[in-house]
Amino acid sequence: MTCVLNERIITTDACVLEGAEWLAARHPELARGFAAAQPLPLRLKPAGFAQLLNAIVGQQVSVASANAIWGKLVEAGLTEEAAVLALTEEELRAVGLSRQKARYARALAAAQIDYAALESLPSAQVIKVLTQVSGIGTWTAEIYAMFSLGRADVFAHGDLALQEAARALYGLSERPKEKEMRTLAETWAPWRSVAARILWAYYKVMKNREGIR
């Protein structure tokens, strides 16, 4: 386990297991989820422009749809900033992006984010930097911090699959909203990212479909 600015960084399956066992020992609800859905996936992804663009593609569409659109972008060579900026919004729409996502893709490319510098910033600052870009909301920034930067204590509070899995495991009458999830997730620190992995994995067991790409 490595650390950046006193934050734990998940690098291996062993890190995920350490976090899951810590959570299971303290939270019987997560222990049930972990027992039903292990082994948990590592889910680490590359850092950089392509991964954030991929996250934009995945906003508010099914996993299957997002994968299909992303495949078209990869085939067209549109995974680098210069390539995206070379096309108009209409040309980006022709390869599968909605009008809004085409605009977001160009905004991200134009932002010229220093992705290497993000690796040494605290997670809260990473999220602040990313959400200054049009089209990068809190959820997208949190997912990037969790999976591309490996931060162990970040959570996507607005994620519907996480909310639904929490509802089921905690026996709630209705799906908790973002504010309620923030309160609940505080009890999972310093392993909130692993708690998210447990909840996503349990959601897959519940629904027989992925809740996150």
Side-chain angles (χ1 to χ4, degrees):
M1 178 72 66
T2 59
C3 291
V4 171
L5 298 174
N6 296 320
E7 290 191 46
R8 300 181 187 212
I9 306 298
I10 291 173
T11 55
T12 66
D13 288 311
C15 300
V16 175
L17 180 59
E18 178 186 349
E21 291 178 340
W22 186 95
L23 290 163
R26 291 161 176 81
H27 302 278
E29 300 86 358
L30 293 183
R32 289 200 305 272
F34 180 44
Q38 62 178 303
L40 299 179
L42 182 58
R43 289 196 181 279
L44 293 186
K45 298 180 179 180
F49 171 77
Q51 193 56 48
L52 267 180
L53 180 59
N54 194 333
I56 288 174
V57 168
Q59 291 172 357
Q60 298 180 324
V61 297
S62 70
V63 171
S65 294
N67 287 340
I69 296 167
W70 181 246
K72 292 179 181 179
L73 292 179
V74 171
E75 185 177 354
L78 296 172
T79 59
E80 296 182 1
E81 291 146 311
V84 170
L85 286 175
L87 298 186
T88 65
E89 289 183 14
E90 290 302 319
E91 288 171 326
L92 289 171
R93 290 186 67 199
V95 292
L97 293 180
S98 66
R99 184 180 301 278
Q100 185 179 56
K101 289 183 181 180
R103 184 168 67 251
Y104 290 165
R106 285 182 52 80
L108 177 62
Q112 295 293 301
I113 294 170
D114 185 344
Y115 293 99
L118 293 181
E119 297 180 12
S120 60
L121 293 180
S123 294
Q125 186 65 21
V126 169
I127 292 168
K128 182 178 179 180
V129 169
L130 294 180
T131 53
Q132 290 176 353
V133 180
S134 179
I136 304 295
T138 302
W139 179 88
T140 301
E142 288 165 342
I143 295 301
Y144 186 86
M146 291 169 67
F147 298 139
S148 291
L149 300 182
R151 302 302 170 88
D153 198 32
V154 175
F155 194 83
H157 306 88
D159 187 276
L160 297 182
L162 294 181
Q163 293 172 357
E164 179 62 16
R167 181 203 61 74
L169 284 174
Y170 280 78
L172 303 176
S173 59
E174 59 183 26
R175 193 174 67 217
K177 306 301 183 187
E178 182 172 344
K179 183 178 179 180
E180 297 168 286
M181 286 299 292
R182 287 187 180 278
T183 299
L184 183 59
E186 286 177 2
T187 68
W188 303 330
W191 290 106
R192 280 175 277 196
S193 292
V194 177
R197 285 168 168 82
I198 293 173
L199 293 173
W200 272 314
Y202 189 70
Y203 179 87
K204 182 179 180 180
V205 171
M206 289 170 54
K207 304 292 187 178
N208 195 30
R209 68 174 185 268
E210 293 284 359
I212 186 72
R213 293 171 69 211

